[in-house]
Amino acid sequence: MSPQTENAIMSRNLAKHTLNGSIVDRRRAMQFALGALAAARFVLLPSGDGVTAQTASGDGDDGTMATGDIVGAGISFSRNARIEMSQSVGHRTAGGADVNGQTRFQAASISKTVNSCAVLMLADVGRLELDRPVNAQLRRWQVPGPFGDTVTPSMLLSHTAGTSVSGFPGYPRDSQVPTLVDILNGAGHVNTMPVVADQSPGQFRYSGGGTSVLQLLVEDVTDQPYASFVQETVFAPLGMTRSTYQAPDRPVTNAANGHYRDRRAVEGGFRLYPELAAAGLWTTPADLCRMSDGILRSLRGHADAVLSRETALRMTSPVVGPSALGIFVSDDGVLFHAGFNAGFVSLLLADPASMTSVAIMVNSEADPNVLAGLFDGVRAPFPFRM
């Protein structure tokens, strides 16, 4: 089966599970994301080169997960900014070395939550303005289209700017990777259309293209490469020592290969995503928990938090439906984001009430709609329930 990009899944499910800008109910609004949390319930058993995901009730004909084998996975759980549990199962590549707690996976669209932290940190110190037109703050490029001059950073974070290009398919490892400006222009060897503001702002329209505009904005206002800025201001303060935007240098780096639904490895092991802010993060489940813990601590107003409490509250306040600023929010306040790159699936959940976070990363494609049913009745130390 050819890889499904996260944009189609995210847009389809959010459109289906919201009505007139309001969440119909938590089950349906979060189904697409919580499906990946089935990994918390898996009885993960060795199965040849990979791991068979088996449920207590046996959802597949033979008691195994209907979507097929998972090659490898990692899961971490934190409480009160402390990692309480990390587990790894399976292999980095079919028949290869084992996944361990240091193995990096592609986080896919969870990159957008990290990006939101970076943008909001700049807003906190007055280096950019969330509600000022982004074209007035960009130097190297301007958002085109009939609504380009009305687009603001806050709209781009909440997917309400009306910008195009929902997601990115990535590039083969041996291909010429385009520049960020070329990606925004849809020029040269780019495999996506130009990013334009061709829809009136205010409606939900999932847009990785809009997130790429923010990547350029960060570079323009800081005069730094995006990866360097995020390393210094997000990863380092939060102790995210296994997080990077640099593609792994095999075989030295402990990183997972992506796999399609039929367990074939993604060509070259993984695809390249120069759209760093939207899809380019390599990280571990534990580091994702550290990032979400930083958000939770900011919400509590801790003195050493990465964001001010006011900014963190705005970040986690829904704008349209469940969409807040770089993250989604259930009707009872659980923060979440899912990610789907070629060969990778990831999920992050955080509960401000209990100060707990859980992150799951899998180096195999899995249909979140199928996995969603496995979450019910989970028996694990996570305070997340449908």
Side-chain angles (χ1 to χ4, degrees):
M1 177 179 177
S2 61
Q4 288 180 293
T5 54
E6 48 79 20
N7 51 292
I9 298 171
M10 188 82 73
S11 297
R12 182 180 72 236
N13 283 281
L14 281 173
K16 184 195 307 180
H17 302 319
T18 59
L19 180 64
N20 297 327
S22 300
I23 299 176
V24 177
D25 62 48
R26 183 183 180 194
R27 169 182 294 280
R28 289 183 289 158
M30 293 181 68
Q31 183 182 22
F32 78 100
L34 288 181
L37 195 56
R41 186 186 179 202
F42 290 163
V43 180
L44 290 165
L45 305 173
S47 177
D49 290 333
V51 173
T52 297
Q54 185 173 11
T55 70
S57 59
D59 295 85
D61 292 339
D62 59 355
T64 61
M65 185 180 66
T67 52
D69 286 354
I70 289 176
V71 176
I75 180 170
S76 291
F77 171 73
S78 66
R79 191 193 312 270
N80 295 321
R82 176 184 176 186
I83 304 296
E84 292 196 351
M85 183 274 284
S86 288
Q87 293 182 0
S88 305
V89 293
H91 304 278
R92 287 182 244 164
T93 189
D98 290 346
V99 173
N100 59 43
Q102 298 298 306
T103 301
R104 291 180 172 121
F105 297 79
Q106 284 190 352
S109 272
I110 299 178
S111 305
K112 294 178 176 68
T113 305
V114 174
N115 175 70
S116 180
C117 290
V119 170
L120 293 174
M121 290 169 73
L122 286 169
D124 254 347
V125 296
R127 298 184 69 180
L128 62 79
E129 298 177 48
L130 292 176
D131 300 312
R132 182 185 176 202
V134 71
N135 278 350
Q137 304 179 71
L138 288 167
R139 296 203 311 264
R140 289 179 287 162
W141 184 82
Q142 296 283 282
V143 179
F147 303 100
D149 288 338
T150 66
V151 170
T152 66
S154 61
M155 292 175 185
L156 293 168
L157 288 171
S158 62
H159 301 287
T160 59
T163 48
S164 61
V165 185
S166 54
F168 303 99
Y171 294 85
R173 290 184 66 190
D174 59 357
S175 65
Q176 180 181 352
V177 176
T179 67
L180 179 58
V181 171
D182 280 347
I183 291 168
L184 293 170
N185 285 327
H189 301 285
V190 173
N191 58 14
T192 49
M193 298 296 290
V195 177
V196 298
D198 56 2
Q199 178 176 294
S200 178
Q203 305 173 59
F204 180 82
R205 185 190 194 185
Y206 192 78
S207 176
T211 306
S212 294
V213 175
L214 291 171
Q215 180 179 333
L216 187 70
L217 177 63
V218 168
E219 293 186 344
D220 279 0
V221 301
T222 64
D223 289 319
Q224 286 184 255
Y226 180 84
S228 298
F229 175 77
V230 177
Q231 172 64 44
E232 294 173 7
T233 61
V234 181
F235 297 161
L238 293 177
M240 299 171 64
T241 59
R242 293 294 294 167
S243 298
T244 182
Y245 291 101
Q246 183 175 356
D249 179 18
R250 286 193 168 78
V252 177
T253 304
N254 183 352
N257 277 337
H259 296 80
Y260 300 129
R261 293 276 294 279
D262 60 5
R263 293 172 52 82
R264 287 182 301 113
V266 172
E267 296 78 5
F270 53 87
R271 294 178 74 82
L272 301 174
Y273 293 85
E275 307 89 358
L276 303 181
L281 176 64
W282 286 88
T283 189
T284 65
D287 268 9
L288 287 183
C289 283
R290 293 182 179 101
M291 186 265 295
S292 66
D293 289 342
I295 298 170
L296 298 182
R297 287 176 57 80
S298 298
L299 287 169
R300 294 288 180 97
H302 287 269
D304 59 347
V306 293
L307 298 172
S308 69
R309 185 169 185 270
E310 179 182 4
T311 297
L313 286 170
R314 182 171 182 184
M315 177 186 187
T316 56
S317 297
V319 177
V320 173
S323 185
L325 303 189
I327 201 158
F328 298 95
V329 187
S330 75
D331 59 350
D332 54 359
V334 174
L335 314 177
F336 65 97
H337 212 300
F340 308 90
N341 273 2
F344 293 90
V345 175
S346 55
L347 176 69
L348 176 67
L349 294 166
D351 179 29
S354 60
M355 291 291 287
T356 52
S357 302
V358 60
I360 299 166
M361 308 190 79
V362 177
N363 66 340
S364 313
E365 292 181 352
D367 185 344
N369 292 310
V370 174
L371 294 180
L374 301 178
F375 182 76
D376 285 338
V378 75
R379 297 294 180 263
F382 310 136
F384 306 107
R385 292 292 182 271
M386 295 284 269

